[in-house]
């Protein structure tokens, strides 16, 4: 790879079965909303955030907007959307441990776990394979470590593809759950591979990143949750074995506006553990700071699904408009992929996947 490497840009991914996996967001709106509001009040109790989470700029004291009582401000330096309070260790404990962050992601039965691996995680692996192959690598000759692996869906997808993959996770219950399921699914059939996931404590994560024997390290929906994302990226830079970093990050996007406009609908993007969101400029700031060369980007989000859910719930909760809820659903459901495609192309989508080379 050199400076002439053409950046590969991809847009969109059909929702397919995704609506089914997120069914609890439709069925359990009241409970989800209550949980979000509870976390918002806990977040408000944390000290003010004085500097941008991504660049060194100081943040203005007056917020740009407030949502569910939480003030937010766009960084004057890099455009990053920052919650005006800090995501302290105490807050992280309340979000990820007390509130059982993984609850929504548990796939308790094999069929559901396997379907989630196939629908959501295998496409990420195929994307990686395509880019790495284009770089002249042999993807099956590389080793992969997933940090913040949860119940191991991405590790399972890599393993299913026949790759040497393992993961580290902070939640002991998710490690046990994922290891058991991967054995049952045959992704860890021999003793040496019986534990593809290992448990690490929060204060061990950086040390693990600095020493893990991986060519490719992935952080899928993880970096934004870390109290100090920069320290983790520095640890990876200090690990001479690591050449590629694969990230999935949440973005300031149409979903943020939808969430702000529909306060009675449980938010999915800017809430709970997501106290800050990336934009084009703050991604560039992150890349400059950590000497990351962007090799490929895949822009796709769930914004149109969030709009659909907001309309569906809001129309249904008022007797004057309740009859329109099904009418809206019948008309909009067939359009969701195409609507999302427009949002993705504009890079105003809720998520981006990025493959980076570490420059040394
Ligand atoms: Zn900034």
């Amino acid at each position: 790879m050199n400076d002439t490497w053409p950046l590969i840009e991809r847009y969109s991914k059909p929702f397919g079965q995704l609506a089914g996996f997120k069914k609890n967001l439709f069925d359990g709106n009241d409970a989800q909303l209550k949980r979000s509001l509870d976390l918002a009040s806990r977040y408000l109790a944390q000290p003010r955030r004085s500097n941008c989470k991504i660049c060194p700029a100081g943040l203005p004291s007056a917020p740009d907007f407030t949502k569910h009582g939480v003030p937010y401000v766009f960084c004057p330096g890099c455009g990053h959307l920052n919650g005006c309070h800090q995501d302290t260790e105490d807050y992280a404990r309340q979000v990820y441990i007390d509130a059982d962050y993984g609850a929504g992601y548990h796939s308790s039965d094999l069929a559901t776990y396997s379907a989630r691996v196939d629908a959501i995680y295998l496409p990420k692996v195929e994307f990686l394979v395509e880019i790495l192959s284009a770089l002249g690598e042999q993807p099956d000759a590389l080793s992969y470590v997933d940090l913040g692996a949860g119940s191991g869906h991405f590790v399972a997808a890599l393993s299913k593809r026949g790759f040497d993959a393992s993961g580290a996770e902070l939640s002991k219950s998710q490690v046990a759950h994922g290891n058991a399921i991967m054995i049952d699914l045959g992704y860890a059939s021999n003793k040496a591979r019986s534990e593809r996931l290992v448990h690490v404590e929060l204060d061990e994560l950086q040390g693990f990143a600095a020493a893990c024997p991986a060519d490719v390290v992935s952080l899928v929906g993880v970096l934004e949750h870390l109290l100090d994302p920069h320290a983790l990226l520095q640890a990876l830079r200090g690990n001479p074995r690591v050449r590629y970093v694969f990230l999935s990050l949440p973005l300031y996007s149409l979903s943020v506006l939808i969430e702000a406009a529909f306060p009675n609908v449980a938010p999915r993007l800017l809430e709970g553990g997501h106290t800050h969101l990336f934009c084009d400029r703050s991604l560039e700031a992150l890349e400059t700071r950590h000497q990351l060369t962007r090799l490929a980007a895949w822009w796709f989000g769930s914004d149109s699904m969030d709009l659909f859910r907001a309309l569906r719930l809001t129309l249904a909760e008022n007797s004057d408009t309740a009859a329109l809820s099904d009418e809206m659903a019948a008309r909009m459901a067939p359009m969701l992929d195409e609507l999302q495609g427009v949002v993705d192309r504009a890079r105003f989508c809720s998520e981006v996947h990025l493959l980076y080379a570490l420059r040394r």
Side-chain angles (χ1 to χ4, degrees):
M1 179 203 42
N2 55 43
D3 289 343
T4 64
W5 167 257
L7 173 69
I8 293 178
E9 302 263 18
R10 183 185 288 180
Y11 298 93
S12 301
K13 175 175 182 272
F15 285 117
Q17 285 186 295
L18 199 61
F21 291 127
K22 293 194 171 169
K23 195 165 180 295
N24 64 332
L25 282 178
F26 286 92
D27 293 346
N29 183 68
D30 290 350
Q32 294 275 356
L33 181 61
K34 185 168 175 293
R35 175 186 169 280
S36 260
L37 292 173
D38 178 49
L39 288 175
S41 68
R42 293 169 187 235
Y43 178 63
L44 280 172
Q46 308 305 316
R48 292 284 288 199
R49 182 180 271 161
S50 55
N51 287 84
C52 176
K53 189 86 181 176
I54 298 305
C55 83
L59 296 174
S61 55
D64 287 312
F65 68 94
T66 299
K67 182 165 86 79
H68 283 162
V70 175
Y72 295 92
V73 67
F74 293 99
C75 172
C78 74
H80 197 70
L81 178 58
N82 286 269
C84 294
H85 292 259
Q86 296 174 29
D87 46 341
T88 59
E89 197 170 329
D90 179 46
Y91 180 68
R93 191 171 299 110
Q94 295 182 54
V95 174
Y96 306 122
I97 298 171
D98 298 354
D100 193 8
Y101 175 73
Y105 293 95
H106 266 283
S107 310
S108 50
D109 74 281
L110 286 181
T112 307
Y113 185 98
S114 190
R116 176 178 273 273
V117 167
D118 288 353
I120 297 177
Y121 292 90
L122 267 182
K124 300 183 202 300
V125 174
E126 295 305 334
F127 177 65
L128 257 184
V129 167
E130 180 187 326
I131 309 305
L132 291 169
S133 300
L135 284 161
E137 299 282 0
Q138 284 186 291
D140 59 356
L142 303 177
S143 61
Y144 302 79
V145 167
D146 191 35
L147 299 181
S151 299
H153 293 91
F154 190 53
V155 173
L158 288 160
S159 306
K160 189 171 185 178
R161 196 68 167 63
F163 296 162
D164 172 21
S166 58
E169 165 59 35
L170 306 181
S171 158
K172 281 181 185 170
S173 63
Q174 293 207 58
V175 167
H177 177 71
N179 278 333
I181 282 200
M182 277 191 272
I183 288 171
D184 287 345
L185 287 172
Y187 300 149
S189 53
N190 64 55
K191 180 67 182 167
R193 275 271 153 242
S194 65
E195 292 195 341
R196 286 189 179 268
L197 302 181
V198 296
H199 171 254
V200 293
E201 298 289 347
L202 184 57
D203 58 6
E204 297 169 344
L205 189 63
Q206 277 174 42
F208 185 91
C212 65
D215 301 293
V216 185
V217 168
S218 51
L219 293 140
V220 179
V222 171
L223 197 72
E224 67 276 13
H225 295 289
L226 300 179
L227 306 187
D228 190 351
H230 301 294
L232 188 84
L233 289 172
Q234 280 160 13
L236 289 174
R237 161 164 304 288
N239 181 340
R241 176 74 190 269
V242 178
R243 291 186 290 143
Y244 301 105
V245 176
F246 184 55
L247 299 180
S248 166
L249 295 171
L251 301 176
Y252 168 65
S253 68
L254 180 60
S255 280
V256 173
L257 306 183
I258 295 166
E259 289 178 1
F262 292 92
N264 294 330
V265 175
R268 176 189 64 83
L269 183 62
L270 188 56
E271 67 102 34
H274 286 175
T275 68
H276 62 108
L277 296 172
F278 288 85
C279 63
D280 266 345
R281 281 172 57 219
S282 64
L283 283 177
E284 286 170 17
L286 185 79
E287 290 159 4
T288 302
R289 179 164 176 173
H290 295 285
Q291 295 177 277
L292 299 165
T293 298
R294 196 189 297 187
L295 302 172
W298 186 7
W299 305 84
F300 68 89
S302 302
D303 308 79
S304 69
M305 190 72 81
D306 286 336
L307 178 61
F308 180 83
R309 183 168 55 93
L311 289 174
R312 188 123 173 81
L313 291 165
T314 305
L315 289 170
E317 75 184 359
N318 181 338
S319 60
D320 290 346
T321 56
L324 289 177
S325 186
D326 287 346
E327 159 71 7
M328 182 287 303
R331 289 197 178 260
M332 275 195 69
M335 300 181 203
L336 292 178
D337 277 327
E338 278 192 77
L339 284 173
Q340 186 62 47
V342 174
V343 179
D344 295 338
R345 282 264 160 203
R347 299 185 185 185
F348 199 42
C349 50
S350 56
E351 194 179 347
V352 64
H353 288 66
L354 299 150
L355 181 66
Y356 290 110
L358 288 174
R359 287 200 303 276
R360 293 192 171 94

